[in-house]
Amino acid sequence: MQKFTCHVVLLLFLLCFFQAFSWSQFNQGENYEGSSDLINLEYHMGPVLASAINLYIIWYGQWNPTHQATIRDFLDSLSSSSSVPYPSVADWWDTVRLYTDQTGSNITATISISGEFYDSGYSHGVYLSRLSMQSIIKAAVTSHSRPLPLNPHNGLYLVLTSQDVQVEDFCRAVCGFHYFTFPILVGVTVPYAWVGYSGTQCPGVDGMISVIAHELAEVSSNPLINAWYAGEDPTAPTEIADLCLGLYGSGGGGGYMGKVYKDAWGNGYNVHGVKGRRFLVQWVWNPVKRRCFGPNALD
């Protein structure tokens, strides 16, 4: 949930531009590309996001429209597979969908951008704490100008901060996290995720896409921090994307990202999206195969 370091994002960015690169000098979390019975990923009886997700984006700060378009296209790709070549972003999401709740309902296949809010005036300043995200959501749903709906039924709120915004522990410990709102602050409990645009500290929107994917996978499988995770401490769970940090293709592990495709400029990618987009998205833990997996796997 909060273990996806900017070191990992920086590394994937560099690998987009170099044919080979050693990651051995960087710290990475342990990952499991091969099948393993050692992973104690358990279901703790809480809900998953099984209903069609209404995704509400909060653009906090000043954003480049080109970067916004790339992010929107990635999010639209999560539910679009019919006209997208294999392997697609939607094929990647199929692994996330393997997780179920106690009724046997799978995580939804439908994620729709249902509203966007532009907080270009930095309503809470440029130095934010983690708790600030809930106040930003509150401001977006109570704004006098085009507020977002407060949707406790199937709403998911995605707070994206621009490159000039500094967030507590940003690019030192976290590039993103997810949690749920407190009724005392927002009025209801809704799941949300935050991802920061790293600007000059780490790679930009390309690396940010994988962080968004990471957080969406985990907030969908563990929205109230009582569903799917490993470890004994629910305040610091190891979730389905945490288990696969730095893995993007077959053979990955030990600092090697795995086999990915290369475009004409040598940039790495492993999934296709809408409008001809290509993205590099980290793998997640497959509960059936009991290993990290993505649709570009060779086996």
Side-chain angles (χ1 to χ4, degrees), residues 41-88:
L41 183 69
E42 296 182 336
Y43 177 54
H44 298 267
M45 304 306 291
V48 301
L49 299 187
S51 299
I53 295 171
N54 285 347
L55 183 65
Y56 303 102
I57 305 174
I58 299 173
W59 303 99
Y60 189 89
Q62 298 291 325
W63 278 87
N64 182 319
T66 300
H67 296 164
Q68 290 176 308
T70 301
I71 292 170
R72 288 190 194 98
D73 286 347
F74 172 73
L75 296 172
D76 285 339
S77 299
L78 289 164
S79 299
S80 300
S81 59
S82 58
S83 60
V84 179
Y86 185 89
S88 69

Side-chain angles (χ1 to χ4, degrees), residues 9-108:
V9 184
L10 177 58
L11 293 173
L12 74 90
F13 178 75
L14 292 173
L15 275 163
C16 287
F17 292 94
F18 298 99
Q19 293 297 320
F21 192 86
S22 172
W23 290 4
S24 58
Q25 70 268 39
F26 291 89
N27 294 325
Q28 291 191 14
E30 191 173 10
N31 51 47
Y32 305 86
E33 197 272 329
S35 181
S36 176
D37 293 326
L38 301 178
I39 307 304
N40 189 29
L41 183 69
E42 296 182 336
Y43 177 54
H44 298 267
M45 304 306 291
V48 301
L49 299 187
S51 299
I53 295 171
N54 285 347
L55 183 65
Y56 303 102
I57 305 174
I58 299 173
W59 303 99
Y60 189 89
Q62 298 291 325
W63 278 87
N64 182 319
T66 300
H67 296 164
Q68 290 176 308
T70 301
I71 292 170
R72 288 190 194 98
D73 286 347
F74 172 73
L75 296 172
D76 285 339
S77 299
L78 289 164
S79 299
S80 300
S81 59
S82 58
S83 60
V84 179
Y86 185 89
S88 69
V89 176
D91 295 320
W92 173 86
W93 187 254
D94 282 345
T95 298
V96 179
R97 293 200 63 237
L98 293 173
Y99 291 87
T100 62
D101 62 18
Q102 58 185 303
T103 72
S105 297
N106 294 82
I107 290 173
T108 182

